[in-house]
Amino acid sequence: MRVDKKDLLLYAVTDRSWLGSHTLYQDVEAAIKGGATFIQLREKNLDEAHFLEEAKEIKELCKRYQVPFVINDNVDIALTMDADGVHVGQSDMEAGSVREKLGPDKIIGVSAQTVEQAVLAQQRGADYLGVGAVFPTGSKDDAVEVSQETLRAICEAVDIPVIAIGGISTGNVMELAGSGICGIAVISAIFAKPDIEAAARELKERTEEMLHISFKLEK
């Protein structure tokens, strides 16, 4: 396994729209200090040169803290700057093609909304799945909502780790107990908060509590 389940506990996806006076580097470091266990660099509006420059800096930061670091969507940039891997959506590139480009040692995450998509992604070489949106979210304009039943069905249908994404906060994370996920992915629940480190710390504690309840429910 190229990714450990425990590394997917609190998966933070960057968003520069809330930066304010900080740099993205500072915000990512605060998230890691608070307990983020995995970082995905998501940049929709940066040109390639600046994206590459930023990716290299954050890669070094994650390496220092021993936190896995992947690039959202851009397989070529992930390859160029030797990221730990890439996360792709259904429309970006299918997992088999990504695996061919990146080779056997890199982490590949795939977004899935249905059992069929999830099973296919696993067959094509995905290491983990991001399933959502599990709650309404403003962070992604094209987010499709996924029911709790579908989330559970996906977790049961695959052997690879599954994380939930979409509208998750400290207020609703407990609702995911018993779904079969091993962690959560968030954007605004960390990066939109005035104290990123504290937000990450509280969210990690709540997620661990949720997983503990899940463990009891499974017994």
Side-chain angles (χ1 to χ4, degrees):
M1 183 63 71
R2 285 163 287 258
V3 63
D4 195 305
K5 261 188 182 182
K6 67 179 186 331
D7 292 333
L8 293 164
L9 177 72
L10 183 56
Y11 183 118
V13 182
T14 67
D15 189 328
R16 64 177 41 254
S17 59
W18 293 295
L19 280 183
S21 59
H22 298 164
T23 63
L24 195 65
Y25 185 99
Q26 287 170 322
D27 279 4
V28 171
E29 185 165 33
I32 293 171
K33 281 181 174 175
T37 56
F38 201 110
I39 300 293
Q40 180 194 129
L41 182 64
R42 180 173 179 259
E43 289 293 2
K44 295 296 183 186
N45 303 310
L46 268 193
D47 63 77
E48 198 127 312
H50 285 100
F51 189 173
L52 193 56
E53 190 182 322
E54 190 161 77
K56 284 177 177 172
E57 286 178 2
I58 292 180
K59 176 194 166 186
E60 289 309 311
L61 172 69
C62 290
K63 193 175 175 185
R64 186 151 51 88
Y65 284 95
Q66 298 182 301
V67 168
F69 168 69
V70 298
I71 302 287
N72 176 267
D73 294 349
N74 199 319
V75 179
D76 292 329
I77 278 193
L79 205 55
T80 302
M81 48 79 59
D82 194 29
D84 292 323
V86 73
H87 186 95
V88 294
Q90 286 294 315
S91 59
D92 300 315
M93 193 192 287
E94 67 94 19
S97 308
V98 178
R99 179 61 70 207
E100 280 170 28
K101 280 190 99 166
L102 289 185
D105 302 324
K106 297 295 184 186
I107 299 167
I108 296 176
V110 177
S111 298
Q113 283 82 36
T114 67
V115 171
E116 291 74 21
Q117 289 173 355
V119 170
L120 188 61
Q122 175 175 285
Q123 288 170 351
R124 298 284 169 84
D127 293 299
Y128 72 89
L129 299 172
V131 177
V134 292
F135 300 112
T137 174
S139 297
K140 286 192 79 177
D141 303 332
D142 58 347
V144 178
E145 278 193 51
V146 173
S147 70
Q148 297 275 355
E149 290 74 25
T150 301
L151 178 61
R152 270 195 297 273
I154 287 172
C155 291
E156 285 167 9
V158 297
D159 303 317
I160 55 177
V162 176
I163 54 174
I165 188 168
I168 301 169
S169 67
T170 51
N172 62 21
V173 69
M174 299 307 285
E175 293 175 38
L176 298 169
S179 60
I181 60 170
C182 66
I184 60 165
V186 294
I187 305 174
S188 59
I190 290 178
F191 292 111
K193 302 298 180 188
D195 188 337
I196 287 171
E197 188 175 336
R201 187 172 294 114
E202 187 186 357
L203 197 51
K204 187 180 185 184
E205 284 169 9
R206 295 285 285 166
T207 305
E208 284 173 334
E209 204 180 321
M210 179 271 292
L211 290 175
H212 185 64
I213 292 169
S214 295
F215 181 68
K216 282 182 168 176
L217 288 171
E218 284 164 17
K219 283 196 149 185

